[in-house]
Amino acid sequence: MDQTIAFLGGDARMRLLARMMAAEGYDVCSWELTGAPKPLALCDALKADIIVLPLPAEKNGYLSGTELTMESLLRSLRREHRIFAGNVGNDASTLAQSLGLTITDYFASEELSVRNAIPTAEGAIEAAMKHTSVTLHGTPCLVLGFGRIGKVLAHDLSALGAKVSVSARKRSDLAWIDAFGYAPLHTNRLSGTLGEFRVVFNTVPHQVLDEALLAELPPDCLLIELASASGFDMDAVETLRLSYLKAGGLPGRVAPETAARAIKKTLCRLIKEEA
Protein backbone atom coordinates (compact mmCIF):
# COMPACT_ATOMS: atom_id res chain seq x y z
CA MET A 1 0.00 0.00 0.00
CA ASP A 2 2.81 2.37 -0.88
CA GLN A 3 0.68 4.37 -3.30
CA THR A 4 -0.99 7.57 -2.10
CA ILE A 5 -4.71 8.16 -2.57
CA ALA A 6 -6.31 11.60 -2.80
CA PHE A 7 -10.03 11.98 -2.15
CA LEU A 8 -11.35 15.11 -3.84
CA GLY A 9 -14.74 16.59 -2.93
CA GLY A 10 -17.95 14.75 -2.18
CA ASP A 11 -20.24 14.25 0.79
CA ALA A 12 -20.36 12.26 4.03
CA ARG A 13 -19.90 9.01 2.13
CA MET A 14 -16.56 10.11 0.75
CA ARG A 15 -15.38 11.48 4.10
CA LEU A 16 -16.16 8.15 5.76
CA LEU A 17 -14.66 6.25 2.83
CA ALA A 18 -11.39 8.19 3.15
CA ARG A 19 -11.28 7.40 6.86
CA MET A 20 -11.96 3.71 6.21
CA MET A 21 -9.23 3.52 3.58
CA ALA A 22 -6.78 5.21 5.95
CA ALA A 23 -7.71 2.68 8.64
CA GLU A 24 -6.91 -0.10 6.15
CA GLY A 25 -3.36 1.25 5.92
CA TYR A 26 -3.60 3.29 2.72
CA ASP A 27 -1.72 6.59 2.56
CA VAL A 28 -4.69 8.96 2.25
CA CYS A 29 -4.97 12.71 1.72
CA SER A 30 -7.97 14.87 0.84
CA TRP A 31 -9.13 18.15 -0.64
CA GLU A 32 -12.45 19.95 -0.04
CA LEU A 33 -13.70 17.10 2.14
CA THR A 34 -14.27 18.32 5.68
CA GLY A 35 -13.31 15.79 8.32
CA ALA A 36 -11.34 13.57 5.96
CA PRO A 37 -7.72 12.62 6.73
CA LYS A 38 -4.80 14.87 5.82
CA PRO A 39 -6.44 17.85 4.12
CA LEU A 40 -4.16 19.47 1.52
CA ALA A 41 -4.20 22.22 -1.08
CA LEU A 42 -5.34 20.93 -4.46
CA CYS A 43 -1.90 21.24 -6.01
CA ASP A 44 -0.47 19.02 -3.26
CA ALA A 45 -3.33 16.53 -3.31
CA LEU A 46 -2.79 16.05 -7.04
CA LYS A 47 0.69 14.68 -6.31
CA ALA A 48 -1.01 11.47 -5.19
CA ASP A 49 -0.82 8.34 -7.33
CA ILE A 50 -4.53 7.55 -7.14
CA ILE A 51 -7.34 10.09 -7.46
CA VAL A 52 -10.77 9.21 -6.10
CA LEU A 53 -13.70 11.40 -7.12
CA PRO A 54 -17.19 11.38 -5.56
CA LEU A 55 -20.45 9.64 -6.41
CA PRO A 56 -21.77 11.28 -8.49
CA ALA A 57 -18.55 12.70 -9.85
CA GLU A 58 -20.12 16.00 -10.80
CA LYS A 59 -23.19 18.15 -10.33
CA ASN A 60 -24.10 20.82 -12.86
CA GLY A 61 -20.60 20.74 -14.34
CA TYR A 62 -18.81 21.04 -10.98
CA LEU A 63 -16.93 18.41 -9.00
CA SER A 64 -19.48 17.32 -6.41
CA GLY A 65 -19.19 19.20 -3.14
CA THR A 66 -16.83 21.83 -4.55
CA GLU A 67 -16.77 25.01 -6.63
CA LEU A 68 -14.25 23.55 -9.07
CA THR A 69 -15.50 22.77 -12.55
CA MET A 70 -15.05 19.22 -13.73
CA GLU A 71 -13.27 20.50 -16.80
CA SER A 72 -10.73 22.42 -14.73
CA LEU A 73 -10.06 19.38 -12.59
CA LEU A 74 -9.60 17.03 -15.54
CA ARG A 75 -7.18 19.44 -17.18
CA SER A 76 -5.16 19.44 -13.94
CA LEU A 77 -4.77 15.66 -13.84
CA ARG A 78 -1.91 13.69 -15.38
CA ARG A 79 -2.05 10.70 -17.68
CA GLU A 80 -0.20 8.58 -15.15
CA HIS A 81 -2.88 9.19 -12.52
CA ARG A 82 -5.11 6.25 -11.69
CA ILE A 83 -8.53 7.91 -11.52
CA PHE A 84 -11.66 6.43 -9.96
CA ALA A 85 -15.03 8.20 -10.01
CA GLY A 86 -18.70 7.39 -9.54
CA ASN A 87 -21.37 7.74 -12.21
CA VAL A 88 -19.22 9.73 -14.63
CA GLY A 89 -21.14 11.87 -17.12
CA ASN A 90 -20.73 11.62 -20.88
CA ASP A 91 -19.15 15.07 -21.23
CA ALA A 92 -16.56 14.33 -18.55
CA SER A 93 -15.78 10.93 -20.06
CA THR A 94 -15.33 12.44 -23.51
CA LEU A 95 -13.06 15.21 -22.23
CA ALA A 96 -11.01 12.76 -20.17
CA GLN A 97 -10.50 10.56 -23.19
CA SER A 98 -9.38 13.52 -25.30
CA LEU A 99 -6.84 14.40 -22.59
CA GLY A 100 -5.49 10.87 -22.49
CA LEU A 101 -6.91 10.21 -19.03
CA THR A 102 -8.38 6.88 -17.98
CA ILE A 103 -11.27 7.03 -15.52
CA THR A 104 -12.60 3.87 -13.90
CA ASP A 105 -16.25 4.33 -12.98
CA TYR A 106 -16.65 2.37 -9.77
CA PHE A 107 -20.43 2.87 -9.84
CA ALA A 108 -20.56 0.84 -13.07
CA SER A 109 -19.74 -2.21 -10.95
CA GLU A 110 -22.78 -4.45 -10.57
CA GLU A 111 -21.82 -5.36 -7.01
CA LEU A 112 -21.87 -1.71 -5.95
CA SER A 113 -25.12 -0.97 -7.77
CA VAL A 114 -26.81 -3.83 -5.94
CA ARG A 115 -25.43 -2.81 -2.55
CA ASN A 116 -26.41 0.80 -3.24
CA ALA A 117 -30.00 -0.29 -3.86
CA ILE A 118 -30.40 -1.28 -0.21
CA PRO A 119 -30.02 2.19 1.39
CA THR A 120 -31.94 3.66 -1.55
CA ALA A 121 -34.91 1.41 -0.83
CA GLU A 122 -34.78 2.09 2.91
CA GLY A 123 -34.54 5.83 2.27
CA ALA A 124 -37.52 5.69 -0.07
CA ILE A 125 -39.57 3.88 2.57
CA GLU A 126 -38.52 6.42 5.19
CA ALA A 127 -39.69 9.20 2.87
CA ALA A 128 -43.03 7.49 2.32
CA MET A 129 -43.56 7.12 6.06
CA LYS A 130 -42.67 10.74 6.66
CA HIS A 131 -44.87 12.23 3.94
CA THR A 132 -48.04 10.16 4.34
CA SER A 133 -50.56 9.99 7.18
CA VAL A 134 -51.00 6.20 7.04
CA THR A 135 -48.91 3.17 7.88
CA LEU A 136 -47.38 1.35 4.95
CA HIS A 137 -48.79 -1.84 6.45
CA GLY A 138 -51.95 -2.57 4.50
CA THR A 139 -51.41 0.35 2.11
CA PRO A 140 -51.51 -0.28 -1.67
CA CYS A 141 -48.10 0.71 -3.08
CA LEU A 142 -46.88 0.60 -6.66
CA VAL A 143 -43.25 0.17 -7.66
CA LEU A 144 -42.54 1.16 -11.26
CA GLY A 145 -39.70 -0.99 -12.57
CA PHE A 146 -38.13 -4.24 -11.41
CA GLY A 147 -34.43 -3.48 -11.63
CA ARG A 148 -32.00 -3.50 -8.71
CA ILE A 149 -33.83 -0.84 -6.69
CA GLY A 150 -37.27 -2.11 -7.64
CA LYS A 151 -36.44 -5.63 -6.46
CA VAL A 152 -35.12 -4.52 -3.06
CA LEU A 153 -37.87 -1.93 -2.57
CA ALA A 154 -40.67 -4.39 -3.34
CA HIS A 155 -39.14 -6.90 -0.92
CA ASP A 156 -38.84 -4.35 1.90
CA LEU A 157 -42.34 -2.96 1.36
CA SER A 158 -43.79 -6.45 1.42
CA ALA A 159 -41.92 -7.21 4.66
CA LEU A 160 -43.66 -4.20 6.21
CA GLY A 161 -47.05 -5.56 5.20
CA ALA A 162 -47.75 -3.19 2.32
CA LYS A 163 -49.94 -4.35 -0.56
CA VAL A 164 -47.24 -4.33 -3.23
CA SER A 165 -47.78 -4.11 -6.98
CA VAL A 166 -44.84 -3.95 -9.37
CA SER A 167 -44.85 -2.95 -13.02
CA ALA A 168 -42.45 -4.30 -15.62
CA ARG A 169 -42.29 -4.93 -19.35
CA LYS A 170 -40.33 -8.17 -19.62
CA ARG A 171 -42.31 -11.39 -19.32
CA SER A 172 -39.56 -12.89 -17.20
CA ASP A 173 -39.76 -9.97 -14.75
CA LEU A 174 -43.53 -10.24 -14.54
CA ALA A 175 -43.16 -13.94 -13.81
CA TRP A 176 -40.69 -13.25 -10.98
CA ILE A 177 -42.93 -10.51 -9.59
CA ASP A 178 -45.77 -13.00 -9.43
CA ALA A 179 -43.51 -15.70 -7.96
CA PHE A 180 -42.47 -13.37 -5.14
CA GLY A 181 -46.10 -12.74 -4.27
CA TYR A 182 -46.45 -9.18 -5.57
CA ALA A 183 -49.19 -8.14 -7.97
CA PRO A 184 -47.67 -7.94 -11.48
CA LEU A 185 -48.67 -5.11 -13.80
CA HIS A 186 -47.49 -4.65 -17.38
CA THR A 187 -45.95 -1.19 -17.72
CA ASN A 188 -47.61 -0.65 -21.10
CA ARG A 189 -51.05 -1.69 -19.80
CA LEU A 190 -51.50 0.35 -16.64
CA SER A 191 -54.68 2.11 -17.70
CA GLY A 192 -57.55 1.26 -15.38
CA THR A 193 -55.31 -0.22 -12.66
CA LEU A 194 -54.13 2.82 -10.70
CA GLY A 195 -57.16 3.93 -8.74
CA GLU A 196 -56.22 2.52 -5.33
CA PHE A 197 -52.52 3.35 -4.94
CA ARG A 198 -51.54 5.62 -2.07
CA VAL A 199 -47.81 5.65 -2.86
CA VAL A 200 -46.08 5.23 -6.23
CA PHE A 201 -42.31 4.72 -6.33
CA ASN A 202 -40.63 5.24 -9.68
CA THR A 203 -37.31 3.56 -10.51
CA VAL A 204 -37.52 3.89 -14.31
CA PRO A 205 -35.40 6.71 -15.87
CA HIS A 206 -38.01 7.78 -18.42
CA GLN A 207 -41.67 8.76 -18.38
CA VAL A 208 -44.02 5.94 -17.44
CA LEU A 209 -47.11 7.75 -16.15
CA ASP A 210 -48.53 10.37 -18.49
CA GLU A 211 -51.37 12.76 -17.70
CA ALA A 212 -54.12 10.24 -18.39
CA LEU A 213 -52.56 7.64 -16.08
CA LEU A 214 -51.76 10.17 -13.36
CA ALA A 215 -55.39 11.30 -13.42
CA GLU A 216 -56.41 7.81 -12.32
CA LEU A 217 -54.49 8.09 -9.06
CA PRO A 218 -56.25 9.17 -5.87
CA PRO A 219 -55.74 12.87 -5.08
CA ASP A 220 -53.85 11.98 -1.89
CA CYS A 221 -51.38 9.70 -3.68
CA LEU A 222 -47.70 10.40 -3.06
CA LEU A 223 -45.26 10.09 -5.96
CA ILE A 224 -41.67 9.30 -4.99
CA GLU A 225 -39.03 9.71 -7.69
CA LEU A 226 -35.96 7.48 -7.38
CA ALA A 227 -34.73 7.60 -10.98
CA SER A 228 -32.31 10.07 -12.52
CA ALA A 229 -34.96 11.21 -15.02
CA SER A 230 -38.60 11.53 -14.01
CA GLY A 231 -41.01 8.70 -14.63
CA PHE A 232 -43.93 11.11 -14.27
CA ASP A 233 -45.33 13.81 -16.56
CA MET A 234 -44.31 16.71 -14.36
CA ASP A 235 -46.66 19.21 -16.00
CA ALA A 236 -49.54 16.86 -15.25
CA VAL A 237 -48.31 16.33 -11.68
CA GLU A 238 -48.53 20.08 -11.15
CA THR A 239 -51.88 20.41 -12.92
CA LEU A 240 -53.40 17.57 -10.90
CA ARG A 241 -51.76 18.88 -7.70
CA LEU A 242 -50.37 15.50 -6.80
CA SER A 243 -47.80 15.26 -4.02
CA TYR A 244 -44.37 14.68 -5.56
CA LEU A 245 -41.06 14.00 -3.87
CA LYS A 246 -37.72 13.91 -5.68
CA ALA A 247 -35.69 11.49 -3.60
CA GLY A 248 -32.26 11.47 -5.23
CA GLY A 249 -28.97 10.67 -3.53
CA LEU A 250 -30.61 8.71 -0.73
CA PRO A 251 -27.66 6.46 0.21
CA GLY A 252 -25.47 9.44 1.01
CA ARG A 253 -28.18 11.09 3.09
CA VAL A 254 -29.84 8.25 4.97
CA ALA A 255 -27.01 5.74 5.39
CA PRO A 256 -23.64 7.29 4.52
CA GLU A 257 -21.64 4.74 6.51
CA THR A 258 -23.29 1.79 4.79
CA ALA A 259 -22.87 3.51 1.43
CA ALA A 260 -19.20 4.21 2.15
CA ARG A 261 -18.55 0.58 3.08
CA ALA A 262 -20.17 -0.54 -0.18
CA ILE A 263 -17.97 1.80 -2.20
CA LYS A 264 -14.89 0.71 -0.25
CA LYS A 265 -15.37 -2.96 -1.11
CA THR A 266 -15.57 -2.15 -4.80
CA LEU A 267 -12.82 0.47 -4.78
CA CYS A 268 -10.33 -1.77 -2.94
CA ARG A 269 -11.00 -4.57 -5.42
CA LEU A 270 -10.51 -2.27 -8.41
CA ILE A 271 -7.29 -0.80 -7.02
CA LYS A 272 -5.84 -4.29 -6.47
CA GLU A 273 -6.99 -5.56 -9.87
CA GLU A 274 -5.50 -2.60 -11.70
CA ALA A 275 -2.24 -2.60 -9.74
Side-chain angles (χ1 to χ4, degrees):
M1 300 183 185
D2 54 348
Q3 289 187 312
T4 56
I5 306 177
F7 289 84
L8 310 182
D11 54 18
R13 285 174 294 183
M14 304 311 293
R15 178 176 67 251
L16 292 168
L17 174 61
R19 291 177 180 174
M20 292 174 186
M21 296 291 281
E24 287 278 327
Y26 288 93
D27 185 359
V28 170
C29 65
S30 62
W31 175 76
E32 287 294 296
L33 191 55
T34 303
K38 197 178 177 181
L40 299 175
L42 180 60
C43 59
D44 293 323
L46 292 182
K47 295 176 184 177
D49 303 294
I50 299 172
I51 304 296
V52 178
L53 305 182
L55 171 63
E58 63 179 306
K59 292 183 180 179
N60 301 318
Y62 291 84
L63 178 66
S64 292
T66 77
E67 296 181 358
L68 179 68
T69 66
M70 196 65 175
E71 180 177 355
S72 296
L73 173 63
L74 292 176
R75 293 188 182 280
S76 300
L77 298 177
R78 306 187 305 273
R79 294 189 178 190
E80 57 267 28
H81 272 134
R82 296 173 65 195
I83 308 166
F84 298 89
N87 198 15
V88 184
N90 291 332
D91 290 344
S93 295
T94 301
L95 177 58
Q97 187 174 11
S98 71
L99 295 170
L101 303 173
T102 300
I103 300 179
T104 300
D105 190 337
Y106 54 80
F107 192 59
S109 167
E110 179 68 12
E111 61 181 298
L112 178 54
S113 296
V114 171
R115 291 189 179 111
N116 212 51
I118 297 171
T120 298
E122 290 193 9
I125 289 172
E126 178 187 44
M129 290 178 169
K130 182 177 179 180
H131 291 88
T132 57
S133 58
V134 295
T135 62
L136 289 178
H137 187 282
T139 295
C141 297
L142 171 61
V143 178
L144 298 174
F146 199 57
R148 304 177 193 95
I149 295 173
K151 288 181 174 69
V152 177
L153 180 55
H155 172 273
D156 290 354
L157 286 168
S158 179
L160 288 171
K163 296 179 180 178
V164 181
S165 297
V166 184
S167 79
R169 288 187 171 88
K170 295 181 181 178
R171 291 182 180 178
S172 57
D173 285 343
L174 291 168
W176 278 113
I177 291 166
D178 183 53
F180 285 132
Y182 319 133
L185 295 174
H186 196 293
T187 303
N188 294 337
R189 302 167 193 163
L190 291 175
S191 180
T193 68
L194 303 176
E196 68 171 356
F197 293 114
R198 188 64 183 270
V199 186
V200 177
F201 303 86
N202 179 59
T203 71
V204 182
H206 55 78
Q207 185 174 298
V208 176
L209 300 187
D210 58 17
E211 183 173 9
L213 292 174
L214 288 168
E216 292 186 21
L217 295 170
D220 57 358
C221 180
L222 171 64
L223 309 177
I224 298 181
E225 184 62 74
L226 301 173
S228 55
S230 183
F232 309 109
D233 180 338
M234 293 308 300
D235 290 336
V237 169
E238 185 174 349
T239 299
L240 296 168
R241 297 184 178 182
L242 293 171
S243 297
Y244 172 84
L245 182 62
K246 176 68 174 177
L250 287 172
R253 290 193 282 115
V254 303
E257 182 178 343
T258 298
R261 291 191 186 282
I263 297 172
K264 175 181 167 292
K265 289 180 181 179
T266 298
L267 183 60
C268 286
R269 176 181 61 79
L270 291 172
I271 288 174
K272 290 176 181 177
E273 288 179 353
E274 295 187 10

